[in-house]
């Protein structure tokens, strides 16, 4: 296994739209394992392939304390959503920034597991938030882009300043 490099906002590659996964072979299995290792090391609770510069429709989530309940969503599709929930979100691609975002409170998602087997899942709370956040990544969207212009501009300024400092 290997740790992967996580792209940091405002890297343009975070705006790429991911394509459907069709091959469920060893290459995909390796990427899932590497992404899981990268997410646990960060540490984080969710990671989309887009964030490691692999532009395929795959994301992973693990909300467990013990970090032993990896959920893999391949080619995820939201079938239904309702209600509203506001949660504080962060992102491994936007380090140090936490902001309240409004999302659907209940969702039903259809996806494939790491072997390609389809499943439907109904989610609420943190899992619902996380799935929506990660699917946004696959569509080239990052959570800070949901904020007001003013807040968004302030965050981008801050990130650019920090990136310059770290160069
Ligand atoms: Ni994120």
């Amino acid at each position: 296994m290997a740790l992967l490099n996580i792209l940091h906002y405002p890297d343009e590659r975070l705006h790429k739209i991911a394509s459907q996964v069709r091959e469920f072979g060893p290459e995909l299995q390796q990427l899932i394992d590497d992404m899981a290792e990268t997410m646990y090391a960060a540490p984080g609770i969710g990671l989309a392939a887009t964030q490691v510069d692999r532009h395929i429709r795959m994301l992973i989530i693990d909300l467990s304390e013990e970090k032993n309940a990896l959920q893999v969503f391949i080619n995820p599709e939201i079938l239904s959503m309702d209600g509203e929930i506001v949660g504080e979100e962060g992102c491994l691609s936007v380090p140090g920034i936490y902001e309240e975002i409004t999302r659907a409170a209940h969702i039903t998602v259809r996806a494939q597991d790491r072997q390609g087997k389809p499943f439907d899942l109904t989610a609420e709370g943190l899992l619902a938030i996380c799935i929506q956040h990660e699917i946004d990544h696959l569509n080239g969207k990052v959570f800070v882009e949901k904020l007001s212009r003013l807040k968004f501009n302030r965050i981008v300024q801050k990130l650019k300043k920090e990136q310059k400092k770290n160069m």
Side-chain angles (χ1 to χ4, degrees), residues 55-72:
H55 302 281
I56 58 168
R57 304 193 78 80
M58 191 262 282
L59 62 93
I60 58 171
I61 292 174
D62 190 339
L63 301 181
S64 71
E65 289 280 331
E66 302 79 16
K67 303 293 170 211
N68 60 2
L70 188 71
Q71 289 176 281
V72 179

Side-chain angles (χ1 to χ4, degrees), residues 46-48 51 90-94 133-134 137 141-143:
L47 190 64
Q51 293 176 272
C91 179
L92 294 177
S93 293
V94 197
H133 176 119
E134 303 307 335
H137 276 301
K141 294 190 199 117
V142 180
F143 82 107

Side-chain angles (χ1 to χ4, degrees), residues 73-143:
F73 298 80
I74 296 171
N75 300 324
E77 222 187 304
I78 292 179
L79 299 181
S80 68
M81 45 167 79
D82 71 89
E84 265 188 14
I85 186 171
V86 179
E88 189 175 76
E89 296 186 24
C91 179
L92 294 177
S93 293
V94 197
I97 305 290
Y98 299 90
E99 294 287 342
E100 287 193 338
I101 302 287
T102 304
R103 304 232 182 229
H106 306 270
I107 62 169
T108 301
V109 63
R110 175 166 293 169
Q112 285 163 278
D113 70 12
R114 62 189 296 165
Q115 268 78 44
K117 189 169 161 250
F119 65 92
D120 286 359
L121 176 81
T122 299
E124 57 180 19
L126 183 57
L127 182 58
I129 290 173
C130 219
I131 293 169
Q132 291 171 81
H133 176 119
E134 303 307 335
I135 289 179
D136 275 357
H137 276 301
L138 304 182
N139 294 324
K141 294 190 199 117
V142 180
F143 82 107

